[in-house]
């Protein structure tokens, strides 16, 4: 029996208007499967209506980012507590687009993870190498550094999910080979075991993200150590997103 229920998480990024997003959310809720847990992460402004539309369904709602402080003078930012209040159970932190667009580094991601935990949210902590790092043979080194820097000292399998997203695979249509994914996931789990204990590592969910779609989801999701997916483009269409969910072994 597997210890880890797969999580299929949709990262809608900066896409959608209210009406179409509510249609998408409702269509996802109508296709819930017992193969996995389902999560959608709308743009922040759409969280309240999407959470309302999904209330009572088995689809959870998450955010794409949070501030590292609980409250204060931070114009334009949103705290983890506000997200929880709006109906979120999860928040993505350290996505490579946030790291690139907003200069977020590992220590900031670590502070955001702590803030998410303090607000009772599950943090989905994203890590992944660039193409340059992969080509230079530095993938595992980079993954280790990001893990060490982005995770706080206290982490449980209940409050943290790790998403391995090779930067070069995001939105590109390209994916690593199953062997490469398996190697990185095993490396991540080993690193989690060394820092937090085998008991935590055994039940910690490690997602794969980057160009996952219905046509490759089966191959990616059956890789040993892959416990679900973080899906961008493929989550904007309910049929595709649910087809990915149905690909969970
Ligand atoms: P993609 O994005 O599925 O469009 O490649 C994944 C992500 O960035 O989380």
């Amino acid at each position: 029996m597997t210890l880890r229920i797969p999580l299929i998480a949709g990262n809608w990024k900066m896409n959608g208007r209210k009406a179409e997003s509510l249609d998408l959310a409702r269509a996802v809720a109508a296709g819930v499967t017992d193969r996995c847990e389902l999560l959608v992460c709308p743009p922040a402004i759409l969280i309240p209506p999407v959470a309302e539309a999904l209330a009572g369904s088995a689809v959870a709602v998450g955010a794409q980012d949070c501030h590292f402080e609980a409250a204060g003078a931070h114009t334009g930012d949103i705290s983890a507590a506000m997200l929880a209040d709006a109906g979120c159970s999860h928040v993505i932190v350290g996505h490579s687009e946030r790291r690139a667009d907003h200069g977020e580094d590992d220590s900031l991601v670590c502070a955001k993870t702590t803030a998410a935990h303090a607000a009772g949210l599950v943090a989905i902590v994203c890590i992944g190498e660039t193409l340059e790092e992969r080509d230079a043979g530095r993938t595992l080194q980079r993954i280790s550094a990001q893990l060490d820097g982005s995770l706080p000292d206290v982490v449980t399998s209940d409050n943290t999910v790790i998403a391995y997203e090779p930067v070069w695979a995001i939105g590109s249509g390209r994916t690593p080979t199953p062997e490469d994914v398996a190697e990185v996931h095993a490396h991540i789990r080993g690193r989690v075991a060394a820092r937090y204990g085998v008991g935590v590592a055994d039940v910690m969910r490690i997602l794969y993200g980057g160009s996952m779609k219905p046509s490759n989801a089966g191959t990616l999701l059956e890789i040993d150590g892959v416990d679900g997916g973080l899906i961008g483009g493929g989550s904007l269409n309910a049929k595709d997103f649910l087809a990915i969910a149905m690909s969970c072994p």
Side-chain angles (χ1 to χ4, degrees):
M1 202 185 92
T2 174
L3 297 165
R4 305 183 296 266
I5 298 166
L7 173 66
I8 298 294
N11 174 9
W12 293 357
K13 307 193 180 183
M14 196 173 72
N15 292 296
R17 297 290 190 277
K18 188 171 165 183
E20 67 193 274
S21 299
L22 290 177
D23 285 348
L24 174 57
R26 289 193 190 103
V28 170
V32 165
T33 156
D34 58 8
R35 287 173 180 262
C36 60
E37 288 175 11
L38 287 173
L39 169 71
V40 293
C41 301
I45 197 166
L46 293 176
I47 287 170
V50 168
E52 197 185 327
L54 292 175
S57 82
V59 183
V61 180
Q64 300 173 14
D65 178 49
C66 66
H67 196 271
F68 70 92
E69 283 191 358
H74 301 288
T75 303
D77 279 310
I78 298 175
S79 75
M82 292 170 186
L83 297 173
D85 198 33
C88 289
S89 52
H90 295 65
V91 60
I92 298 168
V93 293
H95 191 282
S96 64
E97 287 153 13
R98 300 269 338 156
R99 291 177 185 262
D101 293 357
H102 300 272
E104 297 191 0
D105 62 11
D106 291 336
S107 66
L108 179 60
V109 176
C110 184
K112 290 184 176 204
T113 304
T114 300
H117 293 165
L121 297 177
V122 178
I124 301 178
V125 182
C126 302
I127 55 174
E129 82 284 3
T130 62
L131 190 55
E132 194 189 6
E133 288 159 349
R134 174 156 288 273
D135 287 345
R138 296 206 313 269
T139 298
L140 299 184
Q141 197 183 320
R142 183 76 187 113
I143 293 296
S144 295
Q146 286 182 320
L147 268 181
D148 294 353
S150 303
L151 293 181
D153 286 335
V154 180
V155 151
T156 72
S157 56
D158 286 332
N159 69 17
T160 305
V161 171
I162 296 168
Y164 168 53
E165 299 205 301
V167 177
W168 53 274
I170 295 175
S172 66
R174 298 176 57 201
T175 54
T177 64
E179 293 72 27
D180 286 343
V181 174
E183 180 187 37
V184 175
H185 278 240
H187 181 77
I188 293 170
R189 205 173 301 282
R191 198 95 186 163
V192 170
R195 186 167 173 196
Y196 304 103
V198 175
V200 172
D202 276 351
V203 286
M204 172 80 71
R205 286 187 289 189
I206 305 173
L207 313 183
Y208 168 80
S211 296
M212 191 184 284
K213 49 192 176 216
S215 59
N216 62 19
T219 306
L220 290 164
L221 292 168
E222 76 182 14
I223 297 169
D224 195 33
V226 173
D227 309 311
L230 181 55
I231 296 111
S235 70
L236 296 174
N237 174 301
K239 202 163 153 264
D240 287 353
F241 187 58
L242 291 170
I244 293 170
M246 290 303 289
S247 304
C248 286

